[in-house]
Amino acid sequence: MTTALPERDGYEAVVTLDRREGPYGEVVLRQRGGDFEIIANGCFLMDTADGRSERLLIQAALDELDRTGDPVERPSVLIGGLGVGFSLAYAAAEPRWGRIAVVERESAIIDWHRTGPLGAFSGGALDDERVDVLHTDLLEYLAAADGERYDALCLDIDNGPDWTVTESNDGLYGADGLAVLWHRLRPGGVLAVWSAQPSAAFEDALRAVGFSDVVTHEVPVARGVPDVVHLARRAG
């Protein structure tokens, strides 16, 4: 990685640690004080300042699986998006999970965890024997005809259903994408979707393709609308 000279951004010095061009555009890793930021195509995606909603993504899915009268022993989970690592680290810290697959299409982000500063936030989870890092596009992986089914799908892709930086991610949150997600869950499985803002329209879309028990959990943030986790279930 190369370190650029600090640039002034408001009142805080921001250091660009790495900048790469990939098949989906530019991805940048920056440091602001003690926190790290991922920028995609010039748009802020996420940082390490507060991982509560990313952890809730995992915990809410597990709680929903436990809520049934016949909970799954050692359930499998697919995490869509490695990001800054909060969700993966939280899942790996829970011994009840069985297989933990994480899909990340940006090789730069995987590198920043394996050999860069984001490894401190994924906490060595990439070396957990239950964890399988899949370097591929989530939509392509999910659409595979012989695809594996999971007990839980926990997705943190882009900024959520209503505000995507990468146009191709829109397909994940439309009717066709949600139908694919429904089919990649085992009966009784749980879908958890992180979003930068609540979306009543997304709740309606989940119900329209056959999901049940649709609820939204909110996590207040310092400024603006709360982060949320949309939760839904494939009926058994």
Side-chain angles (χ1 to χ4, degrees), residues 19-28 39-42 105-106 166:
R19 183 188 305 273
R20 301 194 196 179
E21 285 289 340
Y24 307 98
E26 183 186 66
V27 184
V28 178
I39 313 296
N41 293 320
R105 70 182 189 179
E106 298 288 352
T166 305

Side-chain angles (χ1 to χ4, degrees), residues 39-165:
I39 313 296
N41 293 320
C43 184
F44 173 87
L45 275 187
M46 63 195 71
D47 64 19
T48 59
D50 185 354
R52 286 177 298 163
S53 58
E54 290 91 341
R55 297 181 184 104
L56 176 62
L57 180 72
I58 304 299
Q59 188 63 52
L62 187 59
D63 289 345
E64 183 65 16
L65 287 171
D66 287 345
R67 189 176 64 82
T68 63
D70 186 20
V72 179
E73 183 178 355
R74 303 282 289 172
S76 60
V77 58
L78 171 71
I79 301 173
L82 176 56
V84 295
F86 287 133
S87 294
L88 175 60
Y90 196 78
E94 173 52 70
R96 285 183 293 168
W97 287 115
R99 169 167 163 76
I100 304 171
V102 56
V103 175
E104 176 54 60
R105 70 182 189 179
E106 298 288 352
S107 60
I109 292 178
I110 297 173
D111 290 346
W112 297 335
H113 281 276
R114 291 200 184 281
T115 60
L118 295 185
F121 300 93
S122 49
L126 274 67
D127 296 323
D128 190 302
E129 63 181 9
R130 297 169 297 163
V131 172
D132 187 11
V133 179
L134 308 174
H135 179 208
T136 185
D137 179 80
L138 180 63
L139 277 171
E140 294 179 4
Y141 174 77
L142 292 171
D146 59 347
E148 179 180 356
R149 288 188 175 185
Y150 294 87
D151 297 299
L153 302 176
C154 297
L155 308 184
D156 183 359
I157 300 298
D158 222 307
N159 285 310
D162 291 344
W163 177 28
T164 53
V165 176

